[in-house]
Amino acid sequence: MTAEDQPLLRVRGLEKVFPVKKGIMRRTVAQVRAVDGVSFDVGKGEILGLVGESGSGKSTTGRLILRLIEPTAGSVELEGQDVRALRGEELRKTRRDMQMVFQDPYSSLDPLATVADVVGEPFQVHFKMTRKERDNKVVELLEQVGMGSHHLRRFPAAFSGGQRQRIAVARALALEPKLIIADEPVSALDMSTQSQVVNLLLDLQERLGVAFLFIAHDLSIVHHASRRIAVMYLGAIVEVGDAEEVYARPRHPYSEALISAIPVPDPQAERDRTRIVLKGDPPSPLNPPSGCRYHTRCAYAMEICNTVDPEPTPTVNGGTVSCHLHTSGPMLNGRPISQSLRNTSG
Ligand SMILES: Nc1ncnc2c1ncn2[C@@H]1O[C@H](COP(=O)(O)OP(=O)(O)OP(=O)(O)O)[C@@H](O)[C@H]1O
Ligand code: SF4
Ligand SMILES: [Mg+2]
């Protein structure tokens, strides 16, 4: 593979097992399989949406990529560089190339630091710039995120949630990263502010060519922002594909249920449509189900699903789905189950 066609980020077989310790001796009594063999790519300047219910392992995946926590297994490559093998100055440089924006703009900004301090800190830490040089850079960054220079000496308390998130994005942009991992960046905001911040990310992607891993539990938001979507369930990616394609024709029963839960703006259409109700809470990652991890909640579950974990199967446009309905293995009436039970084209 040449440098030209390699993805910006390449994640393969990523795993994180958290030990659960008890007692004075801190004995390991159980293990949480938070991320359980996750693989995906993010292209240069691409926005990839990562969706799934609470506890599915989205934030842990983001933190593993940035090496804020160490993986149990698997690899993370940024432009072909194995991030896990980096040490010292090389690791610091790669960390500059990947930044994170967090969900809660109220707790992620230091209340006692001005905008100039918050956004300008990376320039002080990495380049030892003078205050004047830093302020000039901060004003440029504030403009990038649609805020004026008059905000420079104000404190976070003076801003709305949407403005705070813009400040957090400005700070993430300071070192001209190639990838921003945005972990639920709009979940704490009201609806109209959500779309403004999503539009800001789209604008930055277009103007600066920065790539995003956009983490959210709301598929409707991710679908607007991303060209591709990865759907995560109980530590694993169960479907990846073109955003429009996944949204219009979800292959995996879990993606189908998530999409079915999104309200339709037209009241008549909303009344007429059939909803797939997700049964109960997801199983605990302390004790994930055997076979297909979704089988305890799946309306299409078959015998094989109890024991055999489905492998990712290619769909259209380079997507994949991990479900026995889409493998050519199990047959019904002489045809693959994917064709017999469901009307799909992948
Ligand atoms: N440090 C930790 N120690 C033990 N378990 C952890 C730790 N961090 C996360 N987990 C567990 O790992 C699983 C995945 O957590 P994670 O925060 O990645 O999920 P998430 O998809 O980001 O959820 P949410 O939408 O609520 O943010 C959860 O069961 C969580 O309880
Ligand atoms: S493999 Fe079986 S249980 Fe899993 S999603 Fe597909 S049909 Fe449902
Ligand atoms: Mg999270």
Side-chain angles (χ1 to χ4, degrees):
M1 188 186 290
T2 65
E4 282 305 298
D5 53 30
Q6 80 185 357
L8 175 69
L9 180 76
R10 192 167 186 272
V11 176
R12 291 294 177 272
L14 198 60
E15 288 181 20
K16 181 67 186 178
V17 177
F18 291 110
V20 179
K21 296 184 186 283
K22 271 220 173 110
I24 309 167
M25 303 302 286
R26 309 299 297 150
R27 246 179 359 102
T28 300
V29 291
Q31 294 192 318
V32 181
R33 303 197 67 80
V35 174
D36 198 8
V38 159
S39 302
F40 63 88
D41 293 340
V42 180
K44 294 184 176 88
E46 182 192 14
I47 301 183
L48 175 73
L50 182 63
V51 282
E53 281 167 291
S54 183
S56 55
K58 306 179 299 293
S59 298
T60 306
T61 301
R63 291 163 70 210
L64 289 169
I65 292 168
L66 293 172
R67 266 188 75 189
L68 298 176
I69 49 174
E70 289 299 325
T72 310
S75 67
V76 175
E77 288 177 13
L78 188 76
E79 293 186 318
Q81 280 256 20
D82 178 1
V83 176
R84 286 188 72 185
L86 299 176
R87 302 277 178 275
E89 183 50 33
E90 278 188 328
L91 178 60
R92 268 192 294 281
K93 190 189 160 312
T94 301
R95 285 220 167 109
R96 293 207 294 259
D97 288 339
M98 297 195 282
Q99 296 290 318
M100 190 141 186
V101 173
F102 295 95
Q103 171 176 352
D104 185 358
Y106 292 90
S107 61
S108 63
L109 299 179
D110 178 352
L112 300 177
T114 64
V115 171
D117 296 332
V118 170
V119 181
E121 192 193 12
F123 297 118
Q124 188 180 11
V125 172
H126 292 277
F127 303 115
K128 312 275 181 264
M129 285 185 184
T130 64
R131 190 184 171 108
K132 176 102 186 66
E133 288 169 332
R134 278 198 323 261
D135 283 357
N136 289 340
K137 285 280 192 189
V138 173
V139 169
E140 274 174 34
L141 287 166
L142 288 178
E143 277 166 12
Q144 299 270 26
V145 299
M147 291 180 75
S149 56
H150 57 285
H151 293 306
L152 208 58
R153 304 277 170 243
R154 297 174 76 193
F155 291 92
F159 296 103
S160 67
Q163 286 175 316
R164 287 178 201 212
Q165 211 53 316
R166 284 174 191 274
I167 295 165
V169 172
R171 182 189 158 99
L173 287 173
L175 299 172
E176 299 178 11
K178 293 172 179 155
L179 174 72
I180 293 181
I181 297 183
D183 190 358
E184 307 254 7
V186 299
S187 304
L189 308 176
D190 62 55
M191 284 286 274
S192 65
T193 318
Q194 281 190 353
S195 54
Q196 286 169 18
V197 173
V198 167
N199 287 338
L200 170 67
L201 301 189
L202 284 166
D203 177 52
L204 293 172
Q205 179 231 2
E206 225 173 270
R207 274 191 297 122
L208 308 179
V210 56
F212 287 89
L213 178 65
F214 184 173
I215 297 174
H217 55 261
D218 187 337
L219 219 152
S220 56
I221 290 173
V222 171
H223 149 250
H224 282 302
S226 322
R227 192 172 62 78
R228 286 190 313 129
I229 297 179
V231 181
M232 201 162 174
Y233 184 76
L234 209 61
I237 289 178
V238 295
E239 178 165 9
V240 187
D242 175 83
E244 291 301 333
E245 186 67 30
V246 172
Y247 199 71
R249 276 175 295 281
R251 263 78 178 170
H252 197 281
Y254 178 61
S255 318
E256 190 179 30
L258 284 185
I259 289 161
S260 141
I262 300 169
V264 176
D266 174 1
Q268 185 58 46
E270 175 67 20
R271 270 195 299 278
D272 292 349
R273 78 201 180 105
T274 316
R275 273 196 180 192
I276 300 163
V277 180
L278 267 174
K279 291 182 282 179
D281 293 327
S284 166
L286 276 169
N287 189 17
S290 59
C292 169
R293 64 197 63 227
Y294 186 57
H295 86 254
T296 54
R297 298 167 92 194
C298 181
Y300 306 97
M302 305 163 280
E303 191 75 34
I304 188 174
C305 307
N306 300 334
T307 50
V308 180
D309 193 5
E311 290 287 324
T313 303
T315 61
V316 290
N317 298 335
T320 61
V321 59
S322 302
C323 170
H324 292 303
L325 292 171
H326 296 274
T327 57
S328 54
M331 307 285 275
L332 189 70
N333 302 329
R335 288 192 299 158
I337 282 174
S338 56
Q339 291 167 26
S340 304
L341 292 185
R342 310 177 78 225
N343 182 24
T344 57
S345 55

